[in-house]
Amino acid sequence: MQPTAKPRRRLSAVLGILFSVVFGVLLSWLMLEVLLRVGFDFLPAKTQADLQAVRRVPWSERAMVPPVPFISDRRLQSRLEPGLENYPVRWHDARFTFNTGTVWDGHMVGLRTDGPRYPLDILAFGDSFAFCWTAVEDCWVQRLESDYGWSATNAGMPGTGTTGQFRLMAEIAPPMQPRLIVWQWYTNDLFDDYVLALLNGESEPREAAPAPDPVPEVRGFARYSAVWRLIDVALNPPEKTSPYQHNQVVNVNGRDMLISTDEYTPSVSLDYDAVAYGWTRTLESLEAGHALADEIGAGMLLVLIPLKEEAYGDLLSDVYSPEHLAQMGESRRQLMQVCEERGWRCLDALPTFQKAIAEGETVYYALDFHLDASGNRLLAQMIQDTITQEGLLP
């Protein structure tokens, strides 16, 4: 009996050790899963990007970072549904929630508004810079109301260009009768206008800058496990298809900032046929928007937002050449020239942003490319000063 008992004891000991090892690995894995979720906001931006599609809890469809629920629209290019509540956005270091309402009951476009307050002083249009990539109380449109007392309605639509914005304007501005239309412009509007024309078969495909590398779909167990997702990314890095390195991190004023590389930033250049085509469509829409404003008796103010790289240009001289910085602002400068030629009232935010940055303001997020709370405050102040100086809302 004794010789048989020894192998059994050995087997039991080995099984006990194996059980302890397996239990320890599983417990460590579980603790890592919890820590990666609880501490998600403190993880490096690259790690957050890798984990954003993993489910927050395995039994829910909700991802760690839910994608912004854009709906493709052949008329507007992109829109949001009304009725979204506390929808979370996490784009690098831009983190906020938003609600969507409508300008009137039954309207299909979800906007960042609780509904207009009549009589309406300001109706604001634009893309995500008008929608605002901040908490609503920090948004420049909201500040025109809360800080300066105007009744202002936000009709900004992220993911749109000037053409789609004009189509919304033509639909809602006449019945809403604003005294002043504030129309925000950003250089990617040119490419967006081309994309909308392509979507509707109004343009053939044209040469454009190579798109960033596509983000591979998260599949299998990696959808449920944050740890396995990181292992999978390490073992199977995404395939690089673009000839460019699209972004780089540089330290500016003590902040690690994500900016476009010097080889990729010219993607906004009018040298690309797609961007040049979008320029033509943009001018057509701006012309139609001014005609519409005249027809309904409203003032019009165009607000031009520069690229973050332009605004920080004086501090990036070791990254970009003067010629490269000039190329970044090519379309913005040309639009300001058109404004002068056609008598349009246009506000270029670049000089004010440059001055504020030189004085220590952040203006833009470090990693995201949108205006932060300080940039929105400056923009609201610039618009208010223009309103006052030019008597736009007597």
Side-chain angles (χ1 to χ4, degrees), residues 183-303:
W183 198 351
Q184 167 266 315
W185 176 91
Y186 187 66
T187 187
N188 67 0
D189 283 10
L190 306 183
F191 187 73
D192 281 330
D193 283 349
Y194 158 71
V195 169
L196 182 57
L198 191 64
L199 182 66
N200 287 288
E202 299 167 358
S203 172
E204 70 278 5
R206 298 168 183 268
E207 182 193 12
D213 296 328
V215 178
E217 184 181 354
V218 179
R219 300 176 182 272
F221 188 52
R223 297 170 58 201
Y224 305 92
S225 169
V227 175
W228 183 251
R229 170 60 179 159
L230 293 179
I231 294 172
D232 186 46
V233 169
L235 296 177
N236 303 291
E239 180 183 358
K240 182 170 178 57
T241 59
S242 172
Y244 297 142
Q245 175 190 345
H246 288 251
N247 298 295
Q248 61 184 320
V249 176
V250 297
N251 190 276
V252 181
N253 283 350
R255 289 201 305 167
D256 285 337
M257 292 185 60
L258 189 69
I259 61 172
S260 295
T261 61
D262 58 354
E263 62 179 357
Y264 181 66
T265 309
S267 63
V268 299
S269 172
L270 292 164
D271 291 341
Y272 284 105
D273 192 31
V275 179
Y277 175 84
W279 167 262
T280 301
R281 296 298 297 260
T282 292
L283 290 185
E284 291 172 354
S285 296
L286 291 174
E287 186 75 52
H290 279 82
L292 175 68
D294 289 342
E295 183 180 327
I296 65 174
M300 172 72 80
L301 175 64
L302 295 184
V303 178

Side-chain angles (χ1 to χ4, degrees), residues 81-101:
E81 288 277 16
L84 298 174
E85 293 187 8
N86 294 319
Y87 199 92
V89 173
R90 296 184 182 185
W91 282 25
H92 293 301
D93 52 343
R95 296 169 183 169
F96 61 96
T97 62
F98 68 86
N99 302 334
T100 55

Side-chain angles (χ1 to χ4, degrees), residues 65-115:
V65 181
V68 178
F70 292 119
I71 298 171
S72 180
D73 188 295
R74 295 178 70 89
R75 188 172 61 94
L76 305 174
Q77 185 180 351
S78 177
R79 64 181 176 86
L80 296 170
E81 288 277 16
L84 298 174
E85 293 187 8
N86 294 319
Y87 199 92
V89 173
R90 296 184 182 185
W91 282 25
H92 293 301
D93 52 343
R95 296 169 183 169
F96 61 96
T97 62
F98 68 86
N99 302 334
T100 55
T102 57
V103 286
W104 58 72
D105 288 343
H107 195 263
M108 66 181 290
V109 181
L111 300 171
R112 207 169 189 189
T113 179
D114 295 326

Side-chain angles (χ1 to χ4, degrees), residues 303-324:
V303 178
L304 282 57
I305 307 294
L307 294 166
K308 177 170 75 173
E309 291 82 358
E310 281 189 276
Y312 273 85
D314 291 343
L315 302 176
L316 297 173
S317 58
D318 56 340
V319 179
Y320 302 125
S321 67
E323 294 77 19
H324 192 85

